[in-house]
Amino acid sequence: MIDWIDIGTLADIPQRGARTVKLEGEKEIAVFRTGDDQIFALINECPHKKGPLSQGIVHGHAVACPLHNWNIALKTGEAQGEDKGCTPTIAVKQEHGRILIARPETLQAAA
Amino acid sequence: MDFQLRDERQAEGLEETPATFADSREHLVVVGNGMAGCRAVEELLARDGGRYRVTIFGAEPHVNYNRIMLSPVLAGEKTFDEIVINPRAWYDDNAIDLIVSDPVTAIDRVSQSVTAQSGRKVRYDRLLIATGSDPFIIPVPGKDLPGVITFRDMKDVDTMLAVAGAGGDAVVIGGGLLGLEAAHGLTLRGMKVTVIHLMDTLMERQLDEAAGWLLKSALEARGQTILTGANTAEIYGDGKVEGVRLKDGREIPASLVVMAVGIRPATALALEAGLTVNRGIVVDDHMVTSDPRVLAVGECVEHDGNVYGLVAPLWDMCRSLADGLTERHTGYKGSVTSTKLKVAGLDVFSAGDFSGGDGCEDIVLRDASRGIYKRVVIKDDRVIGAVLYGDTADGGWYFDLLKKGESIADIRDLLIFGQAFASGGGALDPKAAVAALSDDAEICGCNGVTKGQVVASINGGACSLDTVRATCKASASCGSCTGLVESLLALTLGEEVKSGPKTMCKCTSFTHDDVRREIVAQGMRSIPDVMQRLHWSTPDGCSSCRPALNYYLLCALPGEYVDDQQSRFVNERMHANIQKDGTYSVVPRMWGGLTNPRELRAIADVVEKYNAPMVKVTGGQRLDIFGIKGEDLPAVWADLNAAGMVSGHAYGKSLRTVKTCVGSDWCRFGTQDSTGLGVKIERMTWGSWMPHKFKIAASGCPRNCAEATIKDFGVVCVDSGYELHIGGNGGIHVRVTDLLCKVATEQEALDYCAAFTQLYREEARYLERTAPWVERVGLDYVKSRIVEDDVGREALRGRFLYSQSFSQDDPWAERAAGSHAQLHQPLAPLAIAAE
């Protein structure tokens, strides 16, 4: 069983941008909206120095970390190019115009 | 006959009608979709694109690929896609009809038509035969057994790879270039390889005995068995190849035999058509055969008694051919060839005549332990041949000397040590070596590109290796000249190449200057507009180009362009400086470094109210409040606004601060009111977005307490007026300003400041500080625009003030009032649903 949490609508997140979600007892989550209106969610920490990815420039399906410009793939959380590291991803889905994310711990339990 | 011919033409016409329009142009039919045929068409298109309708027949199922690069494919260093020269799109873009897997089997010169294997018949106005060469098969018993192949096309490579997958023994017959490359590839693929060579020296056509011996030793050290002076008697096997028997009775087991003993011109088609053929198809200086409607080019031709098997002469031929077809009468004069190769990772070079003989002298350098051998052959004080093994860096230079035929008497003592020493430098600076080459020196042997052509291509706008490859093809094939091309880029572009390729980023092949010019010229109005019209290769750019485009548009369209917040770096989007822990620092503006109790109280209150852990005086004479959370920023700004303070833009590619000293009001040395001037300058310039951060200072006397001579724009007051300085920097590379000029009045100082700022805003590249910009364009240029051109200066100032009329709204006040609130607030989870 997965806990799906309604966090708002597409319009709440700027295109090529991100918003954060704070859940009790969880690390902050960054929810991204790409140029083609896809939604991705990652823990809001760059694998490098924990920079807040939600503040990075979103391009294609990647985000450039605001601290040191590492590029992180939104789908996998993997650092791109020469950089190595991975940020945990959060399951996300859109239903009836709402964006739902999976509570991270339940996702891990299910997996 | 007549009837039948007409009938066929009709049938052919039907087949070709999909082009949908009646094409009245002359029809050029090319037999052979290889390097020579396609290159000839390329040369023709470059001269007169629309002149001929072109149809190309290929026997293989592929588009044109680089046959020379089959070895790296065999060795696993490249994929087939990487060796394609003309992708499908090239044929489509140039409306070339490509017919693959259908070799032409007959030419009828009377009806001017060719017939292919499938029965397809096509009429031509001009025919180009580019059939290349066939591998020579030695006529020994067993030559037709399965498992006996040649090394000529992609199919051969596929066969070799299939067999090599199972390991086992392979025999390569032929110790020339092709054979050794096949042996190398098969060794890398895990086979145990024996090379059988008839002559006593490997690669005897390219190498002398000494170099051949070094090569043999090196290959043996890599596990290959090399049998020289070995004559193949028979290939044996029952139903498939099992081994090779030599004339002396030795038997070498093998599950694969590669015959690479040489090639000969593929002339059968031409012979049957009744064209004049000796060793190759005989052509004149414009590659015309004995039939004026039929041309031939490449390895299948014989010109002036010579047949060529290397790629460089082929390019010369294609140029002459295209010149002839477009009535430019230059003519092919034959080629002097050189060979520079990597065989199994070993560098080998040879050029000219090194067989020795009357009047020839040798200069030889041997360094056996390092595996280096160099031999230059001289006759009448001129270089006539060279063989290099192990270190081929000077190959191009020797080849250049050879082609020019100039006397080397003066440099003879040092000739063998290479260009750097012989030219007097001593130091092995590769750039100096390239600089010393003449314009007609060949840089790229594969594509026959001279230094002059590479430089012309760079001067024409190619500013990276990729663009050079795309425009003139240098370094586009085997890549062994990549270092030379990079040196030419560095030499031709000077400083610009140091900061990497000049293209804006990997999303585009355009440079910053190109993009800026086109934004203005085409009146582009948004980032997607720019990306669309300039063919961006990514859907929405990257973190390098988006902020740059946002700035260029903002600068070009003051008051009209809507700033794209998502293309702003975090600090400019949040109007504060992000810190390593994700909190922000906040710097309110203090005009000219002046403050008062009300401002200080407000700052103190903010520090306490929001638990800021640190406050620090900055280098720009203001206070920096650290550790503010993103959510608290609007409230912090509201409090600071209430005390009359606005954003200090300490976070932006924008005007930062105007640093001042106390000046004539208080200082006993002060000559002018530097503080007052600083405040006026800051009031004029604040809020302006720039290519990079921009710092100003005003000092009241030449003691320069405000450090104005390491600022982007600095004023040093003197008794008689104001010295204006530009292009200083106190960062990683400290740069003292250049003196722009001296002006008499404070108003002039302000006017010149505005004009200079606008010139920088309009012409510097994004993220280029004034210091490198001034060095790039030169102080004289800046003077010519600001000091010597009164009208131009006034126009620049006018544009700056116009732009400023839209930019001096405090961003903090807007945010404090609620704009872009979502940037500062997390999403609120609504409900939890379980499934």
Side-chain angles (χ1 to χ4, degrees), chain B residues 86-140:
Chain B
N86 300 97
R88 189 77 219 191
W90 175 78
Y91 297 91
D92 295 343
D93 291 348
N94 292 295
I96 295 166
D97 225 346
L98 172 64
I99 299 160
V100 295
S101 303
D102 197 6
V104 169
T105 50
I107 300 169
D108 182 345
R109 294 197 286 127
V110 179
S111 68
Q112 287 179 223
S113 65
V114 297
T115 307
Q117 196 170 53
S118 66
R120 189 195 309 254
K121 195 160 186 167
V122 174
R123 215 193 68 80
Y124 66 82
D125 296 301
R126 303 279 183 130
L127 182 69
L128 172 58
I129 304 176
T131 44
S133 50
D134 293 324
F136 185 73
I137 310 282
I138 44 173
V140 292

Short mmCIF file of all heavy atoms in Angstrom, two decimals, chain B residues 86-140:
data_model
loop_
_atom_site.label_atom_id
_atom_site.label_comp_id
_atom_site.label_asym_id
_atom_site.label_seq_id
_atom_site.Cartn_x
_atom_site.Cartn_y
_atom_site.Cartn_z
N ASN B 86 28.76 10.71 -45.37
CA ASN B 86 27.56 11.41 -45.81
C ASN B 86 26.33 10.65 -45.32
O ASN B 86 25.98 9.60 -45.86
CB ASN B 86 27.52 11.49 -47.35
CG ASN B 86 28.72 12.22 -47.91
OD1 ASN B 86 29.69 11.62 -48.32
ND2 ASN B 86 28.66 13.54 -47.89
N PRO B 87 25.69 11.16 -44.27
CA PRO B 87 24.50 10.47 -43.78
C PRO B 87 23.35 10.62 -44.78
O PRO B 87 23.42 11.43 -45.72
CB PRO B 87 24.19 11.20 -42.48
CG PRO B 87 24.80 12.54 -42.64
CD PRO B 87 25.99 12.37 -43.53
N ARG B 88 22.32 9.84 -44.56
CA ARG B 88 21.16 9.85 -45.46
C ARG B 88 20.67 11.29 -45.72
O ARG B 88 20.27 11.63 -46.82
CB ARG B 88 20.07 9.01 -44.79
CG ARG B 88 18.88 8.72 -45.66
CD ARG B 88 19.19 7.62 -46.66
NE ARG B 88 18.56 7.96 -47.92
CZ ARG B 88 18.45 7.14 -48.95
NH1 ARG B 88 18.97 5.92 -48.88
NH2 ARG B 88 17.87 7.52 -50.05
N ALA B 89 20.71 12.10 -44.68
CA ALA B 89 20.19 13.46 -44.81
C ALA B 89 20.93 14.26 -45.88
O ALA B 89 20.37 15.14 -46.53
CB ALA B 89 20.27 14.19 -43.47
N TRP B 90 22.21 13.95 -46.07
CA TRP B 90 22.98 14.68 -47.08
C TRP B 90 22.40 14.41 -48.47
O TRP B 90 22.25 15.32 -49.28
CB TRP B 90 24.45 14.26 -47.02
CG TRP B 90 25.30 14.86 -48.11
CD1 TRP B 90 25.79 16.14 -48.15
CD2 TRP B 90 25.75 14.22 -49.31
NE1 TRP B 90 26.51 16.33 -49.31
CE2 TRP B 90 26.51 15.17 -50.03
CE3 TRP B 90 25.60 12.94 -49.85
CZ2 TRP B 90 27.11 14.88 -51.26
CZ3 TRP B 90 26.19 12.65 -51.07
CH2 TRP B 90 26.94 13.61 -51.76
N TYR B 91 22.08 13.14 -48.72
CA TYR B 91 21.50 12.80 -50.02
C TYR B 91 20.15 13.50 -50.18
O TYR B 91 19.84 14.09 -51.21
CB TYR B 91 21.32 11.29 -50.15
CG TYR B 91 22.62 10.50 -50.09
CD1 TYR B 91 23.11 10.02 -48.88
CD2 TYR B 91 23.35 10.23 -51.24
CE1 TYR B 91 24.30 9.30 -48.81
CE2 TYR B 91 24.53 9.50 -51.19
CZ TYR B 91 25.00 9.04 -49.97
OH TYR B 91 26.17 8.33 -49.91
N ASP B 92 19.35 13.44 -49.10
CA ASP B 92 18.02 14.05 -49.17
C ASP B 92 18.11 15.56 -49.36
O ASP B 92 17.45 16.14 -50.21
CB ASP B 92 17.23 13.73 -47.89
CG ASP B 92 16.95 12.23 -47.76
OD1 ASP B 92 17.07 11.53 -48.79
OD2 ASP B 92 16.64 11.78 -46.65
N ASP B 93 18.97 16.18 -48.55
CA ASP B 93 19.07 17.64 -48.59
C ASP B 93 19.49 18.13 -49.97
O ASP B 93 19.14 19.22 -50.40
CB ASP B 93 20.07 18.15 -47.55
CG ASP B 93 19.56 17.96 -46.14
OD1 ASP B 93 18.36 17.65 -46.00
OD2 ASP B 93 20.34 18.13 -45.19
N ASN B 94 20.31 17.34 -50.65
CA ASN B 94 20.80 17.76 -51.96
C ASN B 94 20.03 17.11 -53.11
O ASN B 94 20.47 17.15 -54.25
CB ASN B 94 22.29 17.45 -52.08
CG ASN B 94 23.11 18.31 -51.14
OD1 ASN B 94 23.15 19.53 -51.29
ND2 ASN B 94 23.72 17.71 -50.13
N ALA B 95 18.89 16.49 -52.76
CA ALA B 95 18.01 15.88 -53.76
C ALA B 95 18.76 14.88 -54.63
O ALA B 95 18.58 14.82 -55.85
CB ALA B 95 17.33 16.95 -54.61
N ILE B 96 19.65 14.11 -53.99
CA ILE B 96 20.40 13.10 -54.73
C ILE B 96 19.65 11.78 -54.64
O ILE B 96 19.25 11.36 -53.56
CB ILE B 96 21.82 12.94 -54.14
CG1 ILE B 96 22.61 14.23 -54.34
CG2 ILE B 96 22.54 11.74 -54.77
CD1 ILE B 96 23.87 14.29 -53.52
N ASP B 97 19.47 11.16 -55.79
CA ASP B 97 18.80 9.87 -55.84
C ASP B 97 19.85 8.81 -55.51
O ASP B 97 20.79 8.61 -56.28
CB ASP B 97 18.28 9.65 -57.28
CG ASP B 97 16.88 9.12 -57.27
OD1 ASP B 97 16.44 8.68 -56.19
OD2 ASP B 97 16.24 9.15 -58.32
N LEU B 98 19.71 8.15 -54.38
CA LEU B 98 20.68 7.13 -54.00
C LEU B 98 20.07 5.75 -54.21
O LEU B 98 19.01 5.45 -53.67
CB LEU B 98 21.10 7.30 -52.54
CG LEU B 98 21.99 6.18 -51.98
CD1 LEU B 98 23.32 6.12 -52.70
CD2 LEU B 98 22.20 6.36 -50.48
N ILE B 99 20.74 4.92 -55.00
CA ILE B 99 20.27 3.56 -55.23
C ILE B 99 21.32 2.62 -54.65
O ILE B 99 22.44 2.53 -55.18
CB ILE B 99 20.07 3.31 -56.74
CG1 ILE B 99 19.02 4.28 -57.28
CG2 ILE B 99 19.67 1.86 -56.99
CD1 ILE B 99 19.07 4.48 -58.76
N VAL B 100 21.00 1.97 -53.53
CA VAL B 100 21.99 1.11 -52.87
C VAL B 100 21.73 -0.36 -53.19
O VAL B 100 20.67 -0.73 -53.71
CB VAL B 100 21.98 1.31 -51.34
CG1 VAL B 100 22.43 2.71 -50.99
CG2 VAL B 100 20.61 1.02 -50.75
N SER B 101 22.71 -1.17 -52.88
CA SER B 101 22.63 -2.64 -53.07
C SER B 101 22.29 -3.01 -54.51
O SER B 101 21.64 -4.01 -54.75
CB SER B 101 21.58 -3.25 -52.14
OG SER B 101 21.88 -2.95 -50.80
N ASP B 102 22.67 -2.19 -55.44
CA ASP B 102 22.33 -2.47 -56.84
C ASP B 102 23.48 -2.03 -57.74
O ASP B 102 23.45 -0.95 -58.34
CB ASP B 102 21.03 -1.73 -57.20
CG ASP B 102 20.41 -2.33 -58.48
OD1 ASP B 102 20.92 -3.35 -58.98
OD2 ASP B 102 19.41 -1.75 -58.96
N PRO B 103 24.53 -2.87 -57.83
CA PRO B 103 25.69 -2.45 -58.62
C PRO B 103 25.36 -2.32 -60.11
O PRO B 103 24.55 -3.09 -60.64
CB PRO B 103 26.69 -3.60 -58.39
CG PRO B 103 25.88 -4.74 -57.90
CD PRO B 103 24.71 -4.16 -57.18
N VAL B 104 25.98 -1.34 -60.74
CA VAL B 104 25.82 -1.17 -62.18
C VAL B 104 26.59 -2.29 -62.88
O VAL B 104 27.75 -2.57 -62.53
CB VAL B 104 26.33 0.22 -62.60
CG1 VAL B 104 26.43 0.32 -64.12
CG2 VAL B 104 25.42 1.31 -62.05
N THR B 105 25.93 -2.94 -63.85
CA THR B 105 26.58 -4.08 -64.50
C THR B 105 26.97 -3.77 -65.94
O THR B 105 27.75 -4.49 -66.54
CB THR B 105 25.65 -5.30 -64.48
OG1 THR B 105 24.37 -4.90 -64.98
CG2 THR B 105 25.49 -5.84 -63.07
N ALA B 106 26.38 -2.73 -66.52
CA ALA B 106 26.73 -2.43 -67.91
C ALA B 106 26.53 -0.95 -68.21
O ALA B 106 25.66 -0.29 -67.65
CB ALA B 106 25.86 -3.26 -68.86
N ILE B 107 27.39 -0.46 -69.10
CA ILE B 107 27.27 0.92 -69.58
C ILE B 107 27.04 0.85 -71.08
O ILE B 107 27.78 0.17 -71.79
CB ILE B 107 28.57 1.71 -69.30
CG1 ILE B 107 28.87 1.75 -67.80
CG2 ILE B 107 28.48 3.12 -69.89
CD1 ILE B 107 30.26 2.27 -67.48
N ASP B 108 25.98 1.51 -71.56
CA ASP B 108 25.76 1.61 -73.01
C ASP B 108 26.01 3.04 -73.42
O ASP B 108 25.21 3.93 -73.16
CB ASP B 108 24.31 1.18 -73.33
CG ASP B 108 24.06 1.21 -74.84
OD1 ASP B 108 24.88 1.82 -75.57
OD2 ASP B 108 23.04 0.64 -75.26
N ARG B 109 27.17 3.26 -74.04
CA ARG B 109 27.56 4.64 -74.34
C ARG B 109 26.79 5.20 -75.52
O ARG B 109 26.73 6.41 -75.71
CB ARG B 109 29.07 4.71 -74.61
CG ARG B 109 29.88 4.37 -73.37
CD ARG B 109 31.31 4.83 -73.50
NE ARG B 109 32.10 3.99 -74.40
CZ ARG B 109 32.79 4.46 -75.43
NH1 ARG B 109 32.78 5.74 -75.72
NH2 ARG B 109 33.48 3.65 -76.19
N VAL B 110 26.17 4.29 -76.32
CA VAL B 110 25.41 4.77 -77.47
C VAL B 110 24.09 5.38 -76.99
O VAL B 110 23.75 6.51 -77.33
CB VAL B 110 25.14 3.62 -78.47
CG1 VAL B 110 24.31 4.13 -79.64
CG2 VAL B 110 26.47 3.04 -78.94
N SER B 111 23.38 4.63 -76.15
CA SER B 111 22.10 5.15 -75.66
C SER B 111 22.31 6.03 -74.43
O SER B 111 21.37 6.55 -73.86
CB SER B 111 21.16 4.00 -75.32
OG SER B 111 21.66 3.31 -74.18
N GLN B 112 23.55 6.17 -73.99
CA GLN B 112 23.89 6.92 -72.77
C GLN B 112 23.06 6.45 -71.58
O GLN B 112 22.31 7.20 -70.97
CB GLN B 112 23.69 8.43 -72.99
CG GLN B 112 24.77 9.02 -73.88
CD GLN B 112 24.56 10.50 -74.11
OE1 GLN B 112 24.71 10.97 -75.23
NE2 GLN B 112 24.21 11.23 -73.07
N SER B 113 23.21 5.17 -71.28
CA SER B 113 22.46 4.64 -70.15
C SER B 113 23.29 3.59 -69.44
O SER B 113 24.23 3.02 -70.00
CB SER B 113 21.14 4.04 -70.62
OG SER B 113 21.40 2.91 -71.44
N VAL B 114 22.94 3.38 -68.17
CA VAL B 114 23.58 2.30 -67.41
C VAL B 114 22.50 1.32 -66.97
O VAL B 114 21.35 1.70 -66.76
CB VAL B 114 24.34 2.83 -66.16
CG1 VAL B 114 25.47 3.73 -66.57
CG2 VAL B 114 23.39 3.54 -65.22
N THR B 115 22.89 0.06 -66.84
CA THR B 115 21.97 -0.96 -66.36
C THR B 115 22.54 -1.56 -65.10
O THR B 115 23.74 -1.85 -65.02
CB THR B 115 21.80 -2.07 -67.41
OG1 THR B 115 21.45 -1.46 -68.64
CG2 THR B 115 20.71 -3.05 -66.98
N ALA B 116 21.69 -1.69 -64.09
CA ALA B 116 22.14 -2.24 -62.81
C ALA B 116 21.74 -3.70 -62.69
O ALA B 116 20.99 -4.22 -63.52
CB ALA B 116 21.58 -1.42 -61.66
N GLN B 117 22.24 -4.35 -61.66
CA GLN B 117 22.00 -5.76 -61.44
C GLN B 117 20.51 -6.10 -61.43
O GLN B 117 20.08 -7.11 -61.94
CB GLN B 117 22.63 -6.15 -60.10
CG GLN B 117 22.81 -7.63 -59.91
CD GLN B 117 23.66 -7.88 -58.65
OE1 GLN B 117 23.35 -7.39 -57.57
NE2 GLN B 117 24.73 -8.64 -58.81
N SER B 118 19.71 -5.22 -60.85
CA SER B 118 18.28 -5.46 -60.73
C SER B 118 17.55 -5.31 -62.06
O SER B 118 16.37 -5.58 -62.15
CB SER B 118 17.69 -4.46 -59.75
OG SER B 118 17.80 -3.15 -60.29
N GLY B 119 18.27 -4.86 -63.10
CA GLY B 119 17.63 -4.60 -64.38
C GLY B 119 17.25 -3.14 -64.55
O GLY B 119 16.86 -2.70 -65.63
N ARG B 120 17.38 -2.39 -63.47
CA ARG B 120 17.07 -0.97 -63.54
C ARG B 120 17.98 -0.28 -64.56
O ARG B 120 19.18 -0.54 -64.62
CB ARG B 120 17.32 -0.35 -62.17
CG ARG B 120 16.84 1.08 -62.03
CD ARG B 120 17.44 1.72 -60.79
NE ARG B 120 17.27 0.90 -59.59
CZ ARG B 120 16.41 1.18 -58.63
NH1 ARG B 120 15.64 2.22 -58.69
NH2 ARG B 120 16.35 0.40 -57.57
N LYS B 121 17.36 0.56 -65.39
CA LYS B 121 18.14 1.22 -66.44
C LYS B 121 17.95 2.73 -66.27
O LYS B 121 16.83 3.20 -66.11
CB LYS B 121 17.60 0.76 -67.79
CG LYS B 121 18.51 1.05 -68.96
CD LYS B 121 18.14 0.15 -70.13
CE LYS B 121 19.11 0.31 -71.27
NZ LYS B 121 18.95 -0.75 -72.26
N VAL B 122 19.04 3.47 -66.29
CA VAL B 122 18.95 4.92 -66.09
C VAL B 122 19.78 5.61 -67.17
O VAL B 122 20.91 5.21 -67.46
CB VAL B 122 19.46 5.31 -64.68
CG1 VAL B 122 19.51 6.82 -64.53
CG2 VAL B 122 18.56 4.72 -63.60
N ARG B 123 19.19 6.64 -67.77
CA ARG B 123 19.89 7.39 -68.80
C ARG B 123 20.74 8.48 -68.17
O ARG B 123 20.39 9.03 -67.13
CB ARG B 123 18.85 8.03 -69.73
CG ARG B 123 19.25 8.09 -71.20
CD ARG B 123 18.34 9.02 -71.96
NE ARG B 123 18.52 10.40 -71.56
CZ ARG B 123 19.52 11.17 -72.01
NH1 ARG B 123 20.38 10.71 -72.89
NH2 ARG B 123 19.63 12.41 -71.59
N TYR B 124 21.88 8.77 -68.78
CA TYR B 124 22.73 9.82 -68.24
C TYR B 124 23.08 10.84 -69.30
O TYR B 124 23.07 10.55 -70.49
CB TYR B 124 24.02 9.21 -67.65
CG TYR B 124 24.94 8.56 -68.66
CD1 TYR B 124 25.83 9.31 -69.43
CD2 TYR B 124 24.94 7.17 -68.84
CE1 TYR B 124 26.68 8.71 -70.36
CE2 TYR B 124 25.79 6.57 -69.77
CZ TYR B 124 26.66 7.34 -70.53
OH TYR B 124 27.49 6.75 -71.44
N ASP B 125 23.34 12.06 -68.86
CA ASP B 125 23.98 13.05 -69.72
C ASP B 125 25.48 13.01 -69.50
O ASP B 125 26.27 13.15 -70.42
CB ASP B 125 23.43 14.44 -69.44
CG ASP B 125 21.95 14.53 -69.77
OD1 ASP B 125 21.61 14.28 -70.94
OD2 ASP B 125 21.15 14.81 -68.87
N ARG B 126 25.83 12.88 -68.21
CA ARG B 126 27.23 12.67 -67.85
C ARG B 126 27.30 11.46 -66.94
O ARG B 126 26.45 11.32 -66.06
CB ARG B 126 27.79 13.87 -67.07
CG ARG B 126 27.68 15.19 -67.77
CD ARG B 126 28.81 15.36 -68.77
NE ARG B 126 28.69 16.68 -69.35
CZ ARG B 126 29.73 17.54 -69.43
NH1 ARG B 126 30.90 17.19 -68.98
NH2 ARG B 126 29.55 18.71 -69.97
N LEU B 127 28.32 10.68 -67.13
CA LEU B 127 28.50 9.51 -66.29
C LEU B 127 29.81 9.65 -65.54
O LEU B 127 30.82 10.06 -66.11
CB LEU B 127 28.53 8.25 -67.16
CG LEU B 127 28.67 6.92 -66.40
CD1 LEU B 127 27.41 6.63 -65.61
CD2 LEU B 127 28.94 5.77 -67.38
N LEU B 128 29.79 9.33 -64.26
CA LEU B 128 31.02 9.35 -63.48
C LEU B 128 31.28 7.94 -62.94
O LEU B 128 30.46 7.39 -62.21
CB LEU B 128 30.90 10.35 -62.31
CG LEU B 128 32.05 10.32 -61.30
CD1 LEU B 128 33.39 10.60 -61.96
CD2 LEU B 128 31.79 11.33 -60.18
N ILE B 129 32.40 7.37 -63.35
CA ILE B 129 32.77 6.05 -62.86
C ILE B 129 33.69 6.23 -61.65
O ILE B 129 34.74 6.86 -61.77
CB ILE B 129 33.48 5.22 -63.94
CG1 ILE B 129 32.59 5.12 -65.19
CG2 ILE B 129 33.83 3.83 -63.42
CD1 ILE B 129 33.26 4.40 -66.35
N ALA B 130 33.24 5.73 -60.52
CA ALA B 130 34.04 5.82 -59.29
C ALA B 130 33.96 4.47 -58.61
O ALA B 130 33.46 4.33 -57.50
CB ALA B 130 33.52 6.93 -58.40
N THR B 131 34.43 3.47 -59.31
CA THR B 131 34.29 2.09 -58.84
C THR B 131 35.42 1.68 -57.91
O THR B 131 35.40 0.58 -57.36
CB THR B 131 34.23 1.12 -60.03
OG1 THR B 131 35.23 1.50 -60.97
CG2 THR B 131 32.88 1.18 -60.70
N GLY B 132 36.43 2.56 -57.75
CA GLY B 132 37.48 2.23 -56.79
C GLY B 132 38.34 1.08 -57.24
O GLY B 132 38.68 0.97 -58.42
N SER B 133 38.68 0.24 -56.29
CA SER B 133 39.56 -0.87 -56.65
C SER B 133 39.03 -2.16 -56.04
O SER B 133 38.21 -2.15 -55.15
CB SER B 133 40.97 -0.58 -56.15
OG SER B 133 40.92 -0.20 -54.80
N ASP B 134 39.53 -3.24 -56.60
CA ASP B 134 39.17 -4.56 -56.10
C ASP B 134 40.36 -5.12 -55.35
O ASP B 134 41.50 -4.92 -55.77
CB ASP B 134 38.83 -5.50 -57.26
CG ASP B 134 37.57 -5.08 -57.98
OD1 ASP B 134 36.65 -4.59 -57.30
OD2 ASP B 134 37.51 -5.21 -59.22
N PRO B 135 40.11 -5.86 -54.29
CA PRO B 135 41.23 -6.52 -53.63
C PRO B 135 41.79 -7.60 -54.54
O PRO B 135 41.04 -8.26 -55.26
CB PRO B 135 40.60 -7.11 -52.36
CG PRO B 135 39.14 -7.06 -52.56
CD PRO B 135 38.83 -6.10 -53.64
N PHE B 136 43.08 -7.72 -54.51
CA PHE B 136 43.73 -8.71 -55.35
C PHE B 136 43.67 -10.07 -54.65
O PHE B 136 43.98 -10.18 -53.47
CB PHE B 136 45.19 -8.28 -55.60
CG PHE B 136 45.91 -9.16 -56.54
CD1 PHE B 136 45.63 -9.12 -57.90
CD2 PHE B 136 46.88 -10.05 -56.09
CE1 PHE B 136 46.30 -9.93 -58.79
CE2 PHE B 136 47.56 -10.85 -56.97
CZ PHE B 136 47.28 -10.80 -58.32
N ILE B 137 43.25 -11.07 -55.37
CA ILE B 137 43.18 -12.42 -54.80
C ILE B 137 44.29 -13.25 -55.42
O ILE B 137 44.33 -13.41 -56.65
CB ILE B 137 41.82 -13.10 -55.14
CG1 ILE B 137 40.64 -12.18 -54.81
CG2 ILE B 137 41.71 -14.46 -54.46
CD1 ILE B 137 40.27 -12.11 -53.37
N ILE B 138 45.20 -13.75 -54.60
CA ILE B 138 46.26 -14.55 -55.21
C ILE B 138 45.69 -15.90 -55.64
O ILE B 138 44.93 -16.53 -54.92
CB ILE B 138 47.49 -14.73 -54.28
CG1 ILE B 138 47.05 -15.07 -52.85
CG2 ILE B 138 48.37 -13.52 -54.28
CD1 ILE B 138 48.21 -15.42 -51.95
N PRO B 139 46.06 -16.29 -56.86
CA PRO B 139 45.44 -17.48 -57.45
C PRO B 139 46.05 -18.78 -56.91
O PRO B 139 46.76 -19.48 -57.61
CB PRO B 139 45.73 -17.30 -58.95
CG PRO B 139 46.99 -16.50 -58.99
CD PRO B 139 47.05 -15.66 -57.75
N VAL B 140 45.77 -19.09 -55.67
CA VAL B 140 46.27 -20.33 -55.10
C VAL B 140 45.10 -21.29 -54.87
O VAL B 140 43.96 -20.84 -54.73
CB VAL B 140 47.00 -20.10 -53.75
CG1 VAL B 140 48.28 -19.33 -53.99
CG2 VAL B 140 46.08 -19.36 -52.78
#
